[in-house]
Amino acid sequence: MGAVLERGRALGRLGSLSPVAQLLVGSQLLFNVGFYLVVPYLAGHLAGDLGLAGWVIGLVLGLRTFSQQGLFVLGGTLTDRYGPKPSILAGCAVRVAGFAVLAFASSLPGVLAGVVLVGVAGALFAPAVEASLARETQPDRRAGVFSVFAVCGEIGAVTGPLLGVVLAGQFRAACLVGAAVFTAIGILHARLLPRLPGEHRAEPVLDGWREVVRNKVFLLFAAGYSAYLVSYNQLYLALPVELNRAGADPRTLGLLFALASTLIIFFQLPVSALGRRVLGRAGALVGGFVLIGLAFAVVAVRPPGVTGAVAFVVLLIFGEMLAVPQAKELVPALAGERRLGTYFGVLASAGGAAVLVGSTVSGALLEHGRVAWVVLALLPLAGACVLAALARSGAFAERPEMIS
């Protein structure tokens, strides 16, 4: 009952946000509906319809992720230079093109072109949306608003695959429906999102990158935060391996993903609010990373099986719910409220690079069973140590004007 009341209060506060902030939060649901309508069924299409080899499918999926995460910094830079609206509209247009290419691609080159376009699209609009939302929200309310943002995104992430089930076996139709969703999103933003000039349009592009590189505190923060992204990615790498090793029913993985989404939808807002109230911003951030570390430790110390996998998902998601909204709130503060597109982009790109390296290493370690889970447990704990050290140095101190 308390969780329901907390969620109701948070959604009520959302109604007091500016129309632009409401548009950005609400459209996150549509973004994920369109995305998850297609992408979860891509591997099955590549294997079943196109008959591609397993290693080729892995390459395609990895290329999609890398083309998005790796280019976030570019999308953020364009947002600072030209404003958020052109980046968001361009991202929608490129994703429509990507889905259209995937719908009709019958060979590997066409598939590669499609997934790169889909990834580049996310790199264009995601930093613009996050930077705009931070700009449109009062500093003391950002953690709560980013929590609602996460909930809306998760509702979309659940709804998209369910709609995809209706189109099961009709990948082309799913791609075309996804393209239609992003067309609608583009039209919505073209009509309702004001066109604001880029705050740094008159400055050389490299000035923003140089500013971020000189911000040593932010770079340390990004390095520590990257441990979360590597850890979260293990839902798609280490968890399936663990379930396969335990001989679990193949449907178990889908149920665990559903569990993760359900936890976020129902508990993100109360967990974020309670963590901030009891632990403070820095405490909730560090505590979330500790929970993520414990998630891996549980699997390392108990026999492989579904029970350990469930505990892993629950602890990982609760750690995420504690830490991520606080981290997103910290970005504008560490950036000095400047160049938010570039800072959000660098944060995501740093995580993408860490995931690329971390997944390669963890994939090799998983052959050694529990050793991998011990090492993976140490990673978020190391991130927690970095973030705790920054907190003790005063880097995360809340300025008086940021306290409600």
Side-chain angles (χ1 to χ4, degrees):
M1 185 65 180
V4 173
L5 291 175
E6 185 63 48
R7 198 160 56 248
R9 284 194 292 269
L11 293 173
R13 290 195 297 270
L14 180 62
S16 66
L17 296 178
S18 70
V20 172
Q22 293 180 34
L23 169 68
L24 295 168
V25 171
S27 62
Q28 177 67 3
L29 189 153
L30 294 177
F31 276 122
N32 278 4
V33 167
F35 180 80
Y36 286 101
L37 176 65
V38 175
V39 173
Y41 303 99
L42 177 58
H45 166 67
L46 298 178
D49 298 331
L50 301 186
L52 298 180
W55 72 268
V56 177
I57 295 172
L59 172 65
V60 170
L61 297 180
L63 183 61
R64 188 213 64 78
T65 301
F66 186 71
S67 64
Q68 177 165 323
Q69 292 291 137
L71 292 177
F72 259 54
V73 63
L74 176 61
T77 300
L78 292 174
T79 297
D80 288 339
R81 189 168 184 81
Y82 299 108
K85 186 169 185 175
S87 293
I88 292 173
L89 296 182
C92 290
V94 173
R95 183 149 287 178
V96 169
F99 282 164
V101 169
L102 284 176
F104 296 98
S106 58
S107 63
L108 181 59
V111 170
L112 292 175
V115 297
V116 168
L117 287 172
V118 169
V120 169
L124 285 171
F125 62 66
V129 169
E130 291 188 342
S132 297
L133 186 59
R135 285 280 185 216
E136 287 289 329
T137 308
Q138 297 173 2
D140 63 295
R141 303 180 65 189
R142 282 175 178 153
V145 172
F146 273 110
S147 293
V148 179
F149 186 76
V151 171
C152 288
E154 205 62 36
I155 293 173
V158 172
T159 305
L162 292 178
L163 294 177
V165 170
V166 178
L167 298 170
Q170 303 177 61
F171 184 75
R172 177 174 295 177
C175 287
L176 295 177
V177 172
V181 171
F182 276 93
T183 299
I185 294 171
I187 293 172
L188 189 67
H189 283 79
R191 292 176 59 87
L192 299 180
L193 190 66
R195 178 154 190 166
L196 301 175
E199 296 184 352
H200 302 279
R201 60 191 180 280
E203 303 170 20
V205 171
L206 293 181
D207 279 6
W209 295 359
R210 279 192 285 263
E211 180 177 318
V212 174
V213 169
R214 288 195 297 264
N215 192 333
K216 305 304 182 186
V217 171
F218 176 78
L219 292 180
L220 284 172
F221 168 76
Y225 182 75
S226 293
Y228 152 71
L229 294 168
V230 176
S231 298
Y232 186 82
N233 194 62
Q234 301 311 312
L235 278 172
Y236 306 97
L237 179 59
L239 181 60
V241 170
E242 181 66 28
L243 291 173
N244 183 62
R245 182 180 290 126
D249 188 309
R251 292 172 294 183
T252 302
L253 183 61
L255 293 174
L256 289 171
F257 283 136
L259 171 63
S261 296
T262 301
L263 289 173
I264 293 173
I265 291 170
F266 283 95
F267 295 103
Q268 173 69 77
L269 300 179
V271 165
S272 178
L274 182 63
R276 178 62 175 266
R277 189 161 55 245
V278 174
L279 301 174
R281 181 168 62 187
L285 178 61
V286 174
F289 273 68
V290 171
L291 276 183
I292 293 171
L294 290 177
F296 290 95
V298 165
V299 183
V301 300
R302 65 168 293 113
V306 175
T307 302
V310 170
F312 167 73
V313 169
V314 171
L315 288 169
L316 178 69
I317 296 302
F318 270 90
E320 175 194 12
M321 290 189 289
L322 265 179
V324 173
Q326 315 304 330
K328 293 294 180 68
E329 181 189 59
L330 272 167
V331 172
L334 295 176
E337 302 292 337
R338 289 170 43 82
R339 300 187 186 276
L340 297 190
T342 301
Y343 274 91
F344 274 109
V346 168
L347 184 70
S349 290
V355 167
L356 186 63
V357 175
S359 293
T360 303
V361 173
S362 61
L365 286 174
L366 285 169
E367 298 178 2
H368 303 285
R370 293 187 186 181
V371 173
W373 292 89
V374 172
V375 174
L376 288 169
L378 295 176
L379 182 62
L381 294 177
C385 291
V386 171
L387 297 172
L390 287 173
R392 284 196 300 270
S393 74
F396 299 164
E398 300 180 69
R399 300 186 300 273
E401 64 270 22
M402 296 184 66
I403 300 175
S404 56

